[in-house]
Structures are given as C-alpha cells and as structure tokens.
Amino acid sequence: MPRRKASPPTDPLSNETLLRAPIGICHVEPDGALSFANAALALLLGYGSIEQLIAERDSRTLFHEVSPAHSVEALAAGRISFQNAEAFLRMRDGGSRLVHIDGTMLGDSSAARWALYVTDAGREKEREVELARALAELENTMQTIPDILYTLDVEARLVRWNRKLETATGFSAAELQHRQGFELFREEEKPVFAKAIMTAFASGYAEFETFLLARDGNTIPYQWTAVPLEDAQGKVVGLAGAGRDVTEWRRNEEARARLEETIRNRAREWQLTFDAITSPILLANSAGKIVRLNRSAKDLFGDVAFSDVAGHMLQEFADHEPWATMLRLVTGKEEETTAEAYDAFTGRTWSLAISQALLSTAPNAPASDLSIIFARDITRLLELQETARRNEVMSTVGQLIVGVAHEVRNPIFGISATLDAFEASFAVDDDARQFLEVLRGEIGRLSDLMQELLDYGKPASLEFHEGSLSEVVEQAVRVCAKTGERNRIEIVNRVPRDLPPVPMDRRKLLQVFQNLIDNAIQFSKPEGGVEVHAATIERSGADWVAVSVADSGPGFPEGDLPRIFEPFFTKRRGGTGLGLSIVQRIVDEHGGRIEATNRAEGGALMTVFLPRER
C-alpha cells in the first residue's frame, strides 16, 4: 500500500500540543494509513523520528501479528469510541509492546477516521507496583515517626492513627477504633479541642496544646496541629494532624529560661561593674568599629544614647581627641600599645592603652580581632605637674621681682628725678632736650617692664559673672582705635551682638583682647587691616565661643609657633615677651584655650576659645 504523506489533524487541539503530549497519539485514515503521529509514540515503539514511524507502519502493520484480532476495526467493532483496550503494538526491532489504547472516531462513521491514544501498559503496572511499595514505605514511616499522626471524621471520631498513639495512651487499636477524640483529653481541655476543630475547618489550620489522657490516668503535655481532610471531589470529610510530646521540650524551656535569667543577672552585674569604672573603656575591631563601651566612654561623646555610639566607626569622631589616637592604635600597623592624646579644644590629655580582647578560651580558637582600649584622663595630673613647674618659675620670678623692685625702682625714681632737676636747673637747648627725651623713654620702658613683671608674678584674683563677649570685644576695639589710626591700620569688628553670655572676669578679658588687637596692629603692614570674628562651636561634647583676631602681617615663623606663649619670648622690637604669657594665663583661668596659627592667605591668627559653662 502506498504511504501517504502526513496531513494536519482535524482534532481541535493544535499540532504543537499533540506533538508534545506525554502519551502516544496517532491518526488512522479510512484506508489504514497513519496520517499523524507524535514523538511519544515514535519513542515508545523504538523509532528515531515521527517521519520514520509513518513511513514504515500503517494500521495493519502497527498491530503485532501475534494478535491479528487487535486491529482498529476489531477494536472499534462499529463503535465511535473505545477505552482502555489492550493490544500488542509492533516495535521497530520486531518485538512487541503491550499497550492500552483509547480510540475516538473523527468525523462521521462513513469516513471511519480514528484518533488513537496509546499508553504503555507495562509502565502502568510498574507504576502500580511502585505506588504499592511507596504506600507500604509510607505506612512503615508513619508507624516509626515519634510523633502521633491521626485522622478524624467530621464527628471527631478516630479513623486512622499510627502506633505512637497506642504506646502513648496504652489503648489498643481495637479500643481506639472510632473513639471520640474528646475522650483523649481532660475534661477542662475539651473546649480547647472543640475550638481547635472549628478553627481548622474555618481557616484551614489550627494549633493547640493539651494534655493527652492515658489509660492509667496519667497525662502527657502534647502540642497538636490540625488541617481539614478532603476527598477526591474536594469535600471535607474530616481532620488530619499530628501531635508532639513536649515534656522534654518544656523541661528544656524551663532550663533555658533559668539559664537566660542567670545570664541576664550576670550580664547586669557585669554591666554595672563595667559602667562603674570611672575611666573610659571601649572595645573596637581592627577596622575601627566600636563594638562595646562603658558609661564613662559614652559620656565623652556628650548627651547621647549608647546606640548613637556602639556600632559606629571611630573614623566618624576622629576630627578630635582622644578618638583620633584610638583609631590609630586600633588600625595602625605599628606594634603600639600606649599613647597620649591631647584635645586642644577641651584641654584634656588622655593616656591610652590597648590590649587584645580574650573572648574565647576554647583550644585552637582563632585570635580575636577585638581590642580593648583603656583611656585615663591625666589632665589633672599634668596640670598639677605644670602648676608645680609654674609655681617654681613664679617663685623664681617673684624673688626676681622683689629683688628687681628693691634694687631698680629706687634708681629709676632717682634717675627720673635727676633728669627733672637737671632740666629745671640748667638751660637746656633743643639738642640736649632730645637726649633727655630718649632717657625718659627708656625709663618708661623699664617702668612698663616692672609693671608687667608685677602683673605676671602676682597671684590671680578673678571675679566671674555672666557677661557679653560682644561688649568686651567692642570696648577693646575702641581702646585700640587710636593706636590703629596712628599706624594706619583699620580695625574691623565682625563679632555678632547675639553671642551667648559666658562666665568671665570682664576686666581681665578686656586685657586679653586689648593685648591681642594691639599685637595685631603692631605686626600689620601700613594701610592693612585687623579683623575680629566670633562664633559658637561644639567640640568634644562641649559648647564654646571662639573669638579670633587676624592681622595682615607676615605671620609667625613656623619655628616660633611652639614658643609663642613662653615668658620673655618676643620678636617685637621693644617688647618684653610677657604679654602673650599673661594672656594665656588669663584664658586658662577662664577654663579656655588660646591657639596661634598662620592664615592661608597670609598673616597671623590668634583664637581664644571660652567655654559657655564653667
């Protein structure tokens, strides 16, 4: 019989769908030729392609000769469809394969065109065996599970359960059959079970705890779950769920709760001890992240919470001390374990020590990358040392002043009186008067030096009151205005009038700013200017008012900056070298700081930092 080229099927499903179907499908024409086949059928019969199957087989050669009665005509027997008919199909290698065939007539009976749907009967039997084995394994697994598994009907009667329910309660399988689930709980817990059933039916899931009532009256705490059980049509026919003995879990929970309470108590004790240490202590990792700190360390950051500091990087606070030095100790490559840090804004000096944190005592444990940083405020110690040094200097200066006053004041007075008598007794021409004026000028310098020595040497006596820095600076500018005009220097006061008040001895602070402005005038170039600025700032958790005086001179030589405030150090002709030393002492007595720097655009800059609170 000539082979017919495959034609598109008239089945409502598309060719693409039929070709990809997981079961074998073919179309048989009225003359017996195969007009369509899919890949599943070709694979089932051992053909390499659909075209090869259609080219070599028709309906008469498709069925194996051992079963000639299994032809399409015999299977159909005048029907328009048939189901689950067994037949042997011929394999390409000559063998046979038992299959199940469902057939549907396409079109009217006169055309007798068929669509055959083929499934491997051998594979189905294998699946049945596999399913039976899987069910047996599931049953064995259910019986060995340490939890209780159960199913109930819609009236809450037991339908199925595993062996654990029998061993837990002591009831036999016969005694449990169709027993009400309510009978397995104590009387006071039956409402809990009833509510769980309603919840499971309503929402699809329920979880509850009860005591399982055993045959001997003992009770065991159990945690249960329940879900609705549906049949093949989706109708709810009962409940299924599981129960777990939580006796050991409860013991563990109680032990865990006791352990947690013990740990919390120990942690509180440790925290109280940690926070009671007055020196700041931090734990930081090698990247500079703050992991832990005590209250003293937290207070260094100001009025903040622990969460505002812990977990942050030291880098965020490294614009001032002691954090910058801490960051260097933690992240530096040098084997540095101690350092000192000085905060110029607060005037505090810190002694820092770093050591490795021992967080684990387990053998072969990796080295911790956490470091403990101890900080000790040695400001007071250094102040006492500096005070002792200054007292020693002051004692020497005081003795010098007494000696100078005793030995020099009378000769100075005598020289001055002699000059006055000389001028009054003799006819003095202009040339001689010029020499007299020079002598009087030098005597005045000696008198000024004596007064500055007395000011520097005598003990401080300050009276503090809240006052306006704006008014003090304004008064200092007025006092120095004449000197500025004489030197052709313009003094520009840019200090805002709304500066907050600060504790001050007004007379002493006036002396400070007069001295600074006068120095700025002396060092500024003619036709230059002196500017005074002020602003409020925050440094190291404290509020400050900063007042700066800038001149238009050459600035400080870099080598002179460390010595600017030393007594008797001066580069100004005619200066005594005590003016800035006196200024520094007055600022120190106000709890402030003074800095000397050079401006980038040229000229010197003197900045006084005064605290808003003593």
Side-chain angles (χ1 to χ4, degrees):
M1 179 180 295
R3 303 300 180 200
R4 179 176 299 179
K5 186 177 180 180
S7 60
T10 59
D11 193 272
L13 294 174
S14 68
N15 268 1
E16 185 68 24
T17 303
L18 296 177
L19 286 170
R20 295 191 178 191
I23 64 171
I25 301 174
C26 66
H27 292 169
V28 180
E29 298 298 322
D31 61 0
L34 297 182
S35 60
F36 172 80
N38 70 348
L41 182 60
L43 181 63
L44 181 65
L45 299 181
Y47 287 89
S49 67
I50 297 171
E51 291 75 11
Q52 190 180 50
L53 170 62
I54 293 176
E56 296 183 11
R57 290 279 180 258
D58 59 20
S59 66
R60 292 176 177 80
T61 61
L62 182 63
F63 292 89
H64 200 279
E65 61 184 2
V66 299
S67 182
H70 290 165
S71 64
V72 176
E73 294 83 351
L75 290 171
R79 293 173 292 169
I80 61 172
S81 67
F82 54 88
Q83 292 182 344
N84 206 27
E86 285 192 354
F88 288 91
L89 295 187
R90 189 184 302 275
M91 303 287 290
R92 187 171 188 272
D93 61 4
S96 62
R97 183 180 291 278
L98 179 63
V99 298
H100 288 160
I101 301 178
D102 295 323
T104 302
M105 183 182 293
L106 303 175
D108 55 27
S109 58
S110 62
R113 186 165 175 265
W114 287 86
L116 303 183
Y117 305 94
V118 181
T119 56
D120 186 353
R123 182 57 183 158
E124 288 184 0
K125 291 185 180 296
E126 290 176 4
R127 288 177 179 170
E128 290 177 1
V129 171
E130 290 175 0
L131 179 60
R133 183 170 59 251
L135 289 174
E137 291 176 354
L138 178 61
E139 179 66 24
N140 290 335
T141 302
M142 289 177 58
Q143 295 302 334
T144 57
I145 287 177
D147 294 340
I148 293 174
L149 303 179
Y150 69 90
T151 59
L152 306 174
D153 62 17
V154 292
E155 295 181 0
R157 291 191 298 263
L158 283 167
V159 176
R160 186 174 175 79
W161 59 90
N162 65 347
R163 195 174 296 117
K164 179 63 179 178
L165 180 60
E166 299 171 16
T167 58
T169 61
F171 291 112
S172 65
E175 291 173 317
L176 290 172
Q177 188 68 41
H178 300 305
R179 181 182 287 269
Q180 278 279 347
F182 288 96
E183 299 177 35
L184 299 177
F185 306 114
R186 298 184 301 186
E187 193 66 32
E188 62 269 24
E189 291 179 332
K190 290 180 180 180
V192 176
F193 178 55
K195 181 179 179 181
I197 292 175
M198 290 186 292
T199 301
F201 282 137
S203 62
Y205 179 80
E207 186 174 311
F208 60 102
E209 283 192 23
T210 64
F211 282 86
L212 182 65
L213 185 61
R215 182 172 189 161
D216 59 5
N218 287 331
T219 57
I220 309 167
Y222 261 77
Q223 187 178 63
W224 304 91
T225 60
V227 295
L229 187 63
E230 299 178 349
D231 60 14
Q233 286 73 40
K235 180 182 177 182
V236 176
V237 294
L239 290 174
R244 171 165 294 183
D245 184 348
V246 293
T247 305
E248 191 63 29
W249 177 82
R250 285 191 173 185
R251 287 199 196 101
N252 292 338
E253 282 295 296
E254 291 171 359
R256 184 181 63 81
R258 289 193 297 271
L259 178 60
E260 287 181 353
E261 182 61 26
T262 301
I263 292 174
R264 280 194 295 269
N265 290 336
R266 296 293 182 270
R268 282 194 292 267
E269 293 171 4
W270 181 87
Q271 183 66 57
L272 290 172
T273 303
F274 191 48
D275 286 341
I277 300 173
T278 56
S279 295
I281 302 176
L282 290 92
L283 274 73
N285 64 19
S286 57
K289 182 179 180 180
I290 301 172
V291 177
R292 185 74 181 167
L293 70 165
N294 68 348
R295 186 172 299 279
S296 295
K298 191 269 294 184
D299 291 343
L300 289 180
F301 292 90
D303 188 16
V304 296
F306 279 101
S307 58
D308 295 329
V309 181
H312 290 254
M313 304 296 292
L314 281 170
Q315 182 68 38
E316 299 176 34
F317 314 100
D319 57 338
H320 51 82
E321 296 290 0
W323 318 117
T325 303
M326 286 184 184
L327 180 64
R328 176 170 58 81
L329 289 176
V330 171
T331 61
K333 296 182 180 179
E334 299 88 3
E335 296 297 327
E336 200 173 4
T337 58
T338 61
E340 280 192 8
Y342 173 69
D343 186 358
F345 291 100
T346 62
R348 300 171 79 178
T349 303
W350 300 91
S351 174
L352 304 177
I354 183 172
S355 64
Q356 194 75 13
L358 300 177
L359 299 183
S360 175
T361 57
N364 304 319
S368 168
D369 83 332
L370 286 182
S371 297
I372 304 177
I373 307 169
F374 300 88
R376 187 164 63 96
D377 187 349
I378 59 173
T379 307
R380 182 57 180 163
L381 175 62
L382 295 180
E383 286 177 348
L384 291 173
Q385 293 174 347
E386 179 63 18
T387 299
R389 188 189 68 80
R390 285 185 180 180
N391 286 341
E392 185 177 353
V393 173
M394 294 299 296
S395 176
T396 303
V397 172
Q399 294 174 13
L400 175 64
I401 290 173
V402 171
V404 169
H406 180 73
E407 298 295 336
V408 177
R409 293 182 79 179
N410 288 336
I412 289 175
F413 178 76
I415 293 170
S416 179
T418 301
L419 289 175
D420 291 340
F422 181 84
E423 186 176 18
S425 301
F426 299 96
V428 179
D429 58 16
D430 291 340
D431 291 338
R433 185 171 286 105
Q434 182 178 358
F435 288 110
L436 290 175
E437 291 301 324
V438 171
L439 288 172
R440 285 196 175 96
E442 294 303 313
I443 291 172
R445 284 185 57 207
L446 287 174
S447 297
D448 291 342
L449 174 60
M450 289 300 302
Q451 186 59 48
E452 287 190 355
L453 285 171
L454 289 170
D455 289 342
Y456 185 77
K458 67 183 178 182
S461 177
L462 280 70
E463 295 183 4
F464 286 93
H465 302 281
E466 291 282 341
S468 169
L469 270 177
S470 306
E471 294 177 0
V472 173
V473 172
E474 187 176 354
Q475 185 177 352
V477 169
R478 285 199 304 268
V479 172
C480 297
K482 291 293 183 184
T483 305
E485 291 175 5
R486 207 164 42 244
N487 290 271
R488 292 178 295 162
I489 303 297
E490 181 185 7
I491 305 174
V492 180
N493 181 11
R494 301 190 186 279
V495 175
R497 291 184 173 275
D498 58 350
L499 284 177
V502 297
M504 66 168 73
D505 183 308
R506 185 185 181 98
R507 180 178 56 84
K508 290 292 187 180
L509 279 188
L510 179 60
Q511 181 181 350
V512 166
F513 293 114
Q514 277 185 236
N515 189 302
L516 294 179
I517 295 172
D518 184 67
N519 276 357
I521 292 171
Q522 298 299 328
F523 283 101
S524 293
K525 299 175 183 178
E527 310 302 333
V530 172
E531 291 189 3
V532 187
H533 297 264
T536 57
I537 62 170
E538 190 274 332
R539 288 290 188 276
S540 301
D543 294 323
W544 304 77
V545 178
V547 183
S548 59
V549 179
D551 64 38
S552 55
F556 297 109
E558 289 298 325
D560 291 350
L561 281 172
R563 305 185 59 194
I564 291 298
F565 299 105
E566 289 184 6
F568 306 109
F569 178 80
T570 181
K571 289 296 183 71
R572 193 179 77 178
R573 187 171 182 178
T576 64
L578 289 174
L580 289 180
S581 298
I582 295 171
V583 165
Q584 183 188 45
R585 192 180 70 179
I586 294 173
V587 173
D588 286 347
E589 289 165 349
H590 280 74
R593 296 293 177 267
I594 182 169
E595 287 184 357
T597 57
N598 287 321
R599 297 194 299 164
E601 62 272 26
L605 180 69
M606 302 293 291
T607 306
V608 175
F609 299 90
L610 294 171
R612 292 178 57 180
E613 295 181 2
R614 280 186 60 79

